[in-house]
Amino acid sequence: MTEHELAKAYQPADFEGAIYERWLVADVFAPDGQGSRADATRPPFVIIQPPPNITGALHLGHALTSTVEDLMIRHARMSGRPSLWLPGLDHASIAAQYVLDRIIAADGQTREELGRERYLERMWEFINTTREVMLGQQRRIGASLDWGRLRFTMDDVSSRAVRTAFARLYRDGLAYRTEALINWCPGCRTSVSDLEVIPTEETGSLWTLRYHLLDASGTPSPDSWISVATTRPETILGDTAVAVHPDDARYTAFVGRTVRIPFVERDVPIIADEAVDPAFGTGAVKITPAHDKTDYETGRWHNLPMLTVLADDATINDLGAGYIGMDRYAARKAIVQDLAARGDLETEQPHEMLIGRCQRSSDVIEPRLKTQWFIRTAPLAAAALEATRSGKTKIVPARFEKVWEHWMTSIHDWNVSRQLWWGHRIPAWYCPDGHVTVSELEGGPAGCAECDRSLAELVQDPDIFDTWFSSGLWPFSTLGWPDETDDLDRFYPGTVMETGYDIIFFWVARMMMMGIHLMGDVPFTTVYLHGLVKDPYGKRMSKTKGNVVDPLEAIAESGADALRFALVHGTSPGNDQKFRSERLDDGRNFANKLWNATRFVLGARPATIRVDASRQSPDASQLGPAERWIRSRAAGAVESVDRAMADLQFAEVTRTLYDAIWSEFCDWGLEFAKVRLTDESLAPETRAATWWTLVEALDTYLRLLHPVMPFVTEELWAALPHAADDPSLLIVADWPSMADREPQVEADVDTVIQLIGALRNARAEAGVEAGEWLAVRVVVPDGLAPAFSLLAPSVGRLARARPLVQLGSPDELSRSAEAGLTVVVGDLQAQIELSADEDSADRERVRLEKDLAEAENFLAAAQARLGSDAFVQRAPAAVVAGARSRAAELEETVARLRDRLRR
RNA sequence: GGGCGGUUAGCUCAGUUGGUUAGAGCACAUGCUUGACAUGCAUGAGGCCACUGGUUCGAGUCCAGUACCGCCCACCA
């Protein structure tokens, strides 16, 4: 880039796209790409990203994921580690079907009308249109993914991995097929896992109704009954018992007797079971083993018949007597009416309860019996627990380890069968004799595993896998598993798995369990969980609420760098953030600041340095205190950022850099430098050294900031002079290191900065015109004198002090100005000459008294602390020493101020 | 019913093993077309760090409890 181009104002839209193209062309994203300068002997840094769902657009959560992962991978890349961040997409079976169903519904079509084959063709067409949109959005935010490795959970390699994984689990006794109670979504027409059932608070009804006891003759007695409470009267049709608590005296005589279930006219026993809560309802509960989780357990324990009364579409099936074919809620209404008509409905009262709804369609989930495949999770979870307990895998932030522990210790077997079409078909075949054959072969097994029937006689399971089954294999299926590939050898286990805490069970847990079992090792050594991006009121963003922020719009408005900065700055790991547009402004303004600072530095190049000069280190012998301060502070920033990066404290990274670049480098470094760069009395090599100091600091800051704000830093870095061994792009430049800190120089310059601040403050409070130049006399302690002399021209300019006179002793000061403004910074004193009138003298007195009171308060506190024997004896020596020097400094200030006020 | 998180300036949030005077951005007030930047500069005002107790020489930070807000898990029909 030329100076001419940089002369323009900061406009991210002008260059962000072009910068991404340059990275692509340079092939720097792959761990061994041509542009990579990675040291192949170092352990690779591998990030596992949650592959976004192929449907729908990316939202701010994706943007956050991409940002955090990208900043980690960029840091690793610059640090010289071979770095792998593999892009991918998830086929998202149920979510994708839900979306496609709605699209085809708009054309008046249904899944059933299309049929499996045409529906799947339609799905492929659909995802071919969404795929590029999704990937384009990731690029727009700057994600430096290794695009050559793009993977999809439905591609051939993934399919083979799924079949192989399942076959392994089956052979290891960890996959089994059985009839069990599952969560049925009548809307999606499939079973869903426990995690996909969302408990929703709702006000329903609690009905109390009567089941009549059979008398000696075996007919229901009109006068004796047992009352039971239910929220789902339609399940009466499937009742096979009534249960009471064994210790419930009210019902002791009832146990063992028989009641008749109305409508279906079924006679069922009254049983005793500990699971019944005597305090709830009537203390007697109807048992519907096929449609309720608790009842199912009770039914199994007591060997009760399990009668399924609901069809797939949640209508009453042919066991439903007079209600056959009715929708579940129509049947409920009718049954309540009919009970009332019979005089068997005692009460109906409103009831607060939790209803399980489908995460996808929001339909009320019905528990029901189905024959399906399950993964035996107990042994897998035990191994996953061992991995986190031993520290082999670390969870950040650590508090999620408790959540992890709890879930892993109370985990149920995982129902993986889905009655959907879009996904991986379960590779299980059934023979007419009831034998089961599981095969990882693409074309299926040769024949039945247990008898001599051929493949042609077998029927494959029509179901597909839960979409998370294939996602769970992601860390190794993407590296070529089950083949023993070089990639697996090199990049497994991954380094950091990064995602939102909301999918810790869905995805992280499954990857851990599958990885450990199938690979024999954890899939990643660190789990980094970020929080959720909420709207400004703390609500979850959702399309239905209409409160979503489109990342692309934010980028168009403020630039990708601003969005990235906004998503990271001021946040902390695992904590949610409220997102408002003001945060984007912060990021954009910061980028703008950096842009203009660079513009200034380039424009301030001394004439003795050629425009195309290659990068030089500043000549150490020519450096003044300001230059040494700039270098030391930059070195300090490197230290801080390194520490924060190592701790995965990314907000600390942005905070450090924001302060260092804005409040130190720009506010003071550049301001000091302006004076030296234009001081014709200085030797050309001195001015050159100042300029090279600025270039060095800027170069360092651009490198440090690059992982967070890659576009603007890349653009600006291109405009700086470069060393011969610099690569052509910042993205693969070396992570910076800086020479040692200089604490004494930092302290000296900081004191001078404080003095300038105090002078400005005094002027402002005295109502001095901002542009007015006033004479200032200073008394500088001996230790500071050499540095101060060199900085004096800058002090003069920044504090509008002219002339600025250094006095030999405080005595000169006191005599020389009666009505001036006095400023005291420790043992540094200054006096601003100001023509006196009575008002201003009073104002000055008030100001000094205020300063004095403040100093006295602090001094009193410090002395009180030092006066305590307990403190002096028990506190660490360094703390006591610090308090002493602090008190001494305050004493000095107080004495000076008192002295001044006496006059 | 269990568990976790939050509570710090008007708003949004930092505050890393307890240690000088608790910080930032935005908003606010006042003044600035100072030759990088008004997406800016300078100065300022604004906090019983939710509450109660404890440990300690010393607590925003550690412990116990309370209150409110949010989230996760859970088979009261």
Side-chain angles (χ1 to χ4, degrees):
Chain A
M1 184 166 48
T2 68
E3 274 182 73
H4 177 69
E5 280 173 90
L6 246 201
K8 291 191 301 186
Y10 170 65
Q11 283 295 348
D14 289 352
F15 60 86
E16 287 187 351
I19 290 286
Y20 201 91
E21 288 304 315
R22 291 189 64 193
W23 293 329
L24 283 177
V25 169
D27 189 17
V28 290
F29 297 163
D32 306 305
Q34 291 169 10
S36 167
R37 310 211 313 164
D39 176 355
T41 63
R42 296 184 61 192
F45 185 88
V46 181
I47 291 195
I48 317 271
Q49 74 150 345
N53 288 357
I54 192 148
T55 61
L58 295 180
H59 50 67
L60 272 188
H62 293 115
L64 174 60
T65 301
S66 292
T67 298
V68 171
E69 292 170 13
D70 192 50
L71 80 83
M72 283 191 276
I73 206 80
R74 283 176 188 270
H75 174 250
R77 191 182 288 122
M78 292 176 78
S79 303
R81 287 180 71 173
S83 306
L84 174 62
W85 185 24
L86 189 145
L89 292 163
D90 195 288
H91 67 283
S93 94
I94 190 168
Q97 281 204 200
Y98 186 70
V99 172
L100 185 61
D101 283 358
R102 301 214 319 189
I103 291 173
I104 61 174
D107 301 336
Q109 292 174 306
T110 67
R111 202 202 299 178
E112 290 74 18
E113 283 166 22
L114 278 176
R116 190 163 189 153
E117 206 164 312
R118 283 193 54 207
Y119 183 81
L120 289 179
E121 283 170 18
R122 191 79 176 68
M123 181 65 85
W124 280 106
E125 283 170 32
F126 172 56
I127 66 163
N128 282 335
T129 65
T130 57
R131 162 180 285 147
E132 285 313 309
V133 175
M134 308 282 300
L135 300 179
Q137 293 185 353
Q138 281 193 315
R139 290 188 197 107
R140 194 62 198 81
I141 200 159
S144 57
L145 287 145
D146 182 4
W147 295 108
R149 290 171 182 266
L150 179 67
R151 291 293 310 278
F152 180 44
T153 53
M154 280 281 282
D155 62 26
D156 291 344
V157 185
S158 227
S159 299
R160 186 166 158 235
V162 166
R163 293 192 306 268
T164 308
F166 185 68
R168 279 268 314 266
L169 290 166
Y170 180 69
R171 272 177 227 132
D172 296 340
L174 295 173
Y176 63 94
R177 185 170 184 250
T178 192
E179 182 180 62
L181 203 68
I182 50 86
N183 307 299
W184 182 259
C185 173
C188 303
R189 300 284 170 89
T190 181
S191 56
V192 295
S193 70
D194 294 347
L195 287 172
E196 291 160 283
V197 181
I198 310 302
T200 316
E201 272 187 34
E202 280 172 41
T203 305
S205 293
L206 185 65
W207 289 275
T208 306
L209 46 99
R210 295 171 178 170
Y211 284 172
H212 290 267
L213 291 139
L214 295 194
D215 60 20
S217 66
T219 53
S221 160
D223 307 321
S224 61
W225 62 77
I226 189 165
S227 299
V228 297
T230 183
T231 56
R232 294 190 297 158
E234 70 279 11
T235 60
I236 285 173
L237 304 171
D239 278 359
T240 55
V242 169
V244 296
H245 195 275
D247 301 336
D248 192 337
R250 293 172 296 174
Y251 294 116
T252 313
F254 287 71
V255 176
R257 294 192 62 182
T258 304
V259 296
R260 176 158 297 175
I261 306 298
F263 314 125
V264 290
E265 306 303 328
R266 182 163 52 240
D267 295 342
V268 307
I270 298 176
I271 58 174
D273 194 291
E274 303 268 351
V276 179
D277 175 6
F280 186 87
T282 62
V285 58
K286 57 191 269 321
I287 302 296
T288 321
H291 292 288
D292 182 274
K293 238 173 178 176
T294 315
D295 292 3
Y296 177 70
E297 296 304 324
T298 307
R300 275 166 55 115
W301 184 250
H302 295 272
N303 269 320
L304 299 172
M306 304 197 178
L307 304 175
T308 298
V309 298
L310 283 172
D312 284 359
D313 60 356
T315 57
I316 304 298
N317 70 9
D318 55 9
L319 290 182
Y323 307 95
I324 295 171
M326 291 176 79
D327 174 76
R328 52 185 163 167
Y329 296 118
R332 174 180 298 178
K333 203 173 164 190
I335 285 173
V336 168
Q337 273 172 9
D338 294 346
L339 281 170
R342 293 166 58 128
D344 286 336
L345 183 67
E346 286 184 359
T347 59
E348 173 181 350
Q349 46 192 281
H351 185 60
E352 296 298 325
M353 56 186 183
L354 290 176
I355 302 227
R357 285 185 178 271
C358 175
Q359 185 193 39
R360 197 56 50 190
S361 71
S362 293
D363 285 294
V364 173
I365 296 292
E366 291 291 344
R368 58 171 300 184
L369 290 170
K370 284 268 183 187
T371 299
Q372 308 226 325
W373 283 96
F374 292 83
I375 303 298
R376 202 181 304 282
T377 47
L380 299 173
L385 265 182
E386 168 57 23
T388 49
R389 284 180 181 165
S390 68
K392 197 154 187 5
T393 294
K394 194 178 72 167
I395 300 180
V396 181
R399 66 184 142 88
F400 283 101
E401 279 170 17
K402 281 187 188 169
V403 184
W404 178 264
E405 284 268 337
H406 179 256
W407 195 74
M408 283 293 183
T409 46
S410 57
I411 189 170
H412 298 295
D413 281 357
W414 175 18
N415 171 212
V416 291
S417 293
R418 294 292 178 275
Q419 292 66 53
L420 301 167
W421 293 343
W422 174 240
H424 295 283
R425 189 91 175 257
I426 294 177
W429 284 260
Y430 311 121
C431 103
D433 300 324
H435 300 145
V436 175
T437 307
V438 170
S439 169
E440 60 265 70
L441 298 175
E442 192 174 6
C448 181
E450 294 179 45
C451 64
D452 54 7
R453 290 188 188 270
S454 69
L455 177 60
E457 293 173 275
L458 308 185
V459 177
Q460 185 175 4
D461 194 313
D463 290 349
I464 61 163
F465 282 110
D466 179 358
T467 199
W468 297 102
F469 187 85
S470 49
S471 318
L473 311 176
W474 188 253
F476 45 99
S477 69
T478 51
L479 298 174
W481 189 86
D483 289 338
E484 289 175 18
T485 62
D486 290 342
D487 278 353
L488 268 181
D489 194 42
R490 192 165 169 215
F491 301 123
Y492 190 96
T495 316
V496 179
M497 196 294 311
E498 196 278 346
T499 190
Y501 65 75
D502 54 331
I503 57 172
I504 183 169
F505 306 135
F506 278 112
W507 191 51
V508 185
R510 269 81 180 255
M511 283 190 290
M512 274 291 259
M513 295 194 290
M514 301 281 227
I516 293 172
H517 185 74
L518 297 168
M519 291 293 298
D521 195 1
V522 295
F524 29 75
T525 50
T526 296
V527 172
Y528 178 93
L529 298 167
H530 64 245
L532 274 29
V533 184
K534 306 280 191 70
D535 78 1
Y537 306 98
K539 301 285 179 210
R540 230 179 144 138
M541 289 188 183
S542 76
K543 276 176 219 153
T544 48
K545 283 193 205 124
N547 59 354
V548 290
V549 172
D550 179 0
L552 290 186
E553 277 177 30
I555 289 170
E557 184 112 345
S558 309
D561 287 323
L563 176 59
R564 293 166 63 110
F565 182 85
L567 289 169
V568 169
H569 191 59
T571 65
S572 53
N575 284 350
D576 296 348
Q577 57 173 303
K578 292 177 193 156
F579 192 88
R580 46 183 70 225
S581 58
E582 289 87 338
R583 308 248 316 259
L584 283 172
D585 296 340
D586 292 347
R588 184 204 49 188
N589 293 353
F590 184 40
N592 179 63
K593 186 74 178 176
L594 192 61
W595 180 275
N596 284 303
T598 307
R599 214 155 66 116
F600 167 75
V601 171
L602 292 174
R605 175 176 47 82
T608 53
I609 300 171
R610 288 166 48 105
V611 66
D612 58 351
S614 67
R615 171 75 182 280
Q616 290 173 28
S617 286
D619 179 350
S621 69
Q622 300 295 324
L623 299 179
E627 288 74 17
R628 290 165 63 193
W629 179 85
I630 290 170
R631 302 189 78 202
S632 189
R633 293 308 304 151
V638 175
E639 279 178 21
S640 299
V641 171
D642 279 346
R643 201 178 314 121
M645 276 288 184
D647 294 344
L648 308 180
Q649 296 280 351
F650 307 124
E652 181 69 11
V653 171
T654 58
R655 196 189 62 75
T656 297
L657 290 171
Y658 189 93
D659 289 349
I661 292 171
W662 199 311
S663 309
E664 293 179 5
F665 183 68
C666 292
D667 285 354
W668 297 105
L670 294 184
E671 295 305 324
F672 284 138
K674 278 177 184 173
V675 175
R676 304 252 299 180
L677 287 168
T678 52
D679 188 343
E680 299 289 335
S681 70
L682 293 174
E685 53 270 32
T686 304
R687 281 184 276 155
T690 295
W691 193 71
W692 285 117
T693 300
L694 297 183
V695 170
E696 178 188 52
L698 197 48
D699 173 275
T700 300
Y701 288 128
L702 289 174
R703 289 175 199 248
L704 291 176
L705 189 59
H706 180 259
V708 182
M709 305 180 92
F711 292 108
V712 69
T713 51
E714 184 74 80
E715 181 80 355
L716 294 176
W717 194 72
L720 291 185
H722 289 124
D725 59 348
D726 276 336
S728 61
L729 289 169
L730 176 57
I731 189 174
V732 282
D734 293 338
W735 190 248
S737 59
M738 284 283 291
D740 295 338
R741 304 280 293 274
E742 293 194 76
Q744 189 54 53
V745 171
E746 288 196 31
D748 288 351
V749 175
D750 285 345
T751 302
V752 171
I753 286 172
Q754 278 181 50
L755 174 70
I756 294 168
L759 289 168
R760 285 169 168 174
N761 167 299
R763 289 168 55 104
E765 292 203 7
V768 174
E769 284 289 323
E772 199 172 339
W773 290 86
L774 297 174
V776 171
R777 284 176 282 275
V778 224
V779 183
V780 182
D782 292 345
L784 186 59
F788 189 91
S789 301
L790 288 163
L791 290 166
S794 297
V795 175
R797 175 183 159 125
L798 297 176
R800 294 242 148 200
R802 193 164 62 197
L804 177 68
V805 183
Q806 261 177 272
L807 303 180
S809 91
D811 300 339
E812 291 178 62
L813 186 71
S814 53
R815 279 193 301 274
S816 58
E818 284 298 323
L821 307 173
T822 299
V823 158
V824 177
V825 175
D827 49 5
L828 187 62
Q829 291 182 89
Q831 206 164 52
I832 304 171
E833 194 172 296
L834 193 57
S835 56
D837 59 47
E838 216 151 289
D839 279 0
S840 67
D842 285 348
R843 274 207 305 272
E844 170 66 353
R845 177 161 284 275
V846 168
R847 188 180 69 83
L848 290 174
E849 277 167 354
K850 196 184 109 198
D851 286 356
L852 176 60
E854 197 178 42
E856 280 175 337
N857 279 340
F858 293 141
L859 179 59
Q863 284 171 338
R865 190 175 308 115
L866 287 165
S868 151
D869 288 345
F871 174 72
V872 177
Q873 282 158 24
R874 301 204 194 183
V879 173
V880 176
R884 286 222 169 90
S885 73
R886 172 73 190 143
E889 198 176 311
L890 283 164
E891 266 169 28
E892 187 97 16
T893 303
V894 166
R896 298 248 149 84
L897 287 168
R898 278 193 186 135
D899 184 51
R900 180 64 203 156
L901 276 163
R902 262 200 300 277
R903 291 190 165 88

